């Protein structure tokens, strides 16, 4: 334990779809589970989706409140983010700041050796997933080049829209959410993000 510091227990609850609320993920059910685990109601932060907008103020304020040695309790691991990459990103940031994560459903506690191992596995899987995506993309382009197919297609979007797609993705939005927001296809979202990344690298 860190000497001279009071270790606090915080909670985070999140609902992003109506389906989650129906299947045991309602904010009230999550809040009760966290309070049963010892988290005071005043230290529980919340985010919820309203219409097409997702308010992340709860997570942002929680990140500002926690200090080294504190623990954040969630109902389950998937409450930490809206997709796998966001979950891993948030776990890594908290770990770097010395903040522990506890989940009720999976019984994970990163203050223990077993919990830290779970976090490391998550990070390793995320890195492998990213590497495989890059490898498949490169292989597909090479196969198309050898067969004489033209990989480039006329753009149906502006670079401003492409930058917006990348910005949403880096904020943790899913490809589905980005496609709906920008009124385009999943494939176009990936192309826009690739263009925006290339522009950033060449800047």
């Amino acid at each position: 334990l860190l000497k001279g510091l009071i270790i606090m227990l915080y909670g985070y609850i999140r609902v992003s779809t109506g389906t989650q609320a129906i299947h045991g993920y309602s904010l009230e059910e999550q809040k009760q589970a966290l309070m049963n685990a010892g988290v005071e109601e005043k230290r529980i932060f919340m985010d919820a989706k309203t219409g097409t907008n997702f308010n992340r103020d709860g997570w942002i304020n929680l990140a500002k409140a926690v200090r080294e040695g504190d623990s954040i309790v969630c109902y389950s691991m998937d409450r930490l983010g809206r997709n796998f990459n966001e979950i891993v990103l948030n776990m890594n940031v908290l770990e770097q700041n010395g903040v522990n994560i506890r989940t009720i459903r999976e019984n994970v506690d990163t203050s223990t050796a077993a919990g830290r191992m779970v976090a490391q596995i998550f990070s390793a899987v995320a890195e492998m997933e990213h590497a495989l995506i890059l490898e498949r993309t490169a292989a597909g382009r090479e196969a198309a080049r050898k067969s004489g197919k033209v990989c480039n297609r006329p753009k149906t979007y502006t670079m401003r829209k492409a930058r917006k797609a990348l910005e949403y993705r880096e904020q943790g939005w899913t490809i589905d959410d980005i496609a709906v927001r920008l009124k385009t296809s999943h494939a176009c979202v990936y192309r826009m993000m690739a263009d925006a990344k290339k522009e950033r690298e060449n800047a």
Side-chain angles (χ1 to χ4, degrees), residues 166-177:
L166 182 59
E167 178 184 337
Y168 288 147
R169 186 59 170 164
E170 290 176 339
Q171 290 174 358
W173 288 40
T174 65
I175 298 300
D176 284 337
D177 289 339

Side-chain angles (χ1 to χ4, degrees), residues 2 7 11 35-36 39 42 56 58 63 70 157 161 178 197:
L2 300 174
I7 306 304
M35 292 173 65
N36 292 342
V39 183
K42 66 181 181 181
R56 292 177 54 82
D70 290 341
Y157 54 86
K161 195 172 184 179
I178 299 173
K197 288 180 180 178

Side-chain angles (χ1 to χ4, degrees), residues 32-90:
Q32 191 57 56
L34 266 57
M35 292 173 65
N36 292 342
V39 183
E40 294 185 51
E41 185 173 4
K42 66 181 181 181
R43 293 195 177 89
I44 296 177
F45 292 76
M46 172 186 72
D47 280 323
K49 184 175 182 179
T50 56
T52 59
N53 297 318
F54 187 84
N55 188 343
R56 292 177 54 82
D57 288 348
W59 180 262
I60 292 171
N61 291 331
L62 172 60
K64 292 178 180 177
V66 292
R67 296 291 182 268
E68 184 178 1
D70 290 341
S71 290
I72 294 177
V73 182
C74 297
Y75 178 72
S76 63
M77 191 72 76
D78 59 11
R79 297 304 84 198
L80 287 170
R82 289 165 292 166
N83 56 64
F84 187 77
N85 288 334
E86 185 178 11
I87 293 172
V88 172
L89 174 63
N90 288 336

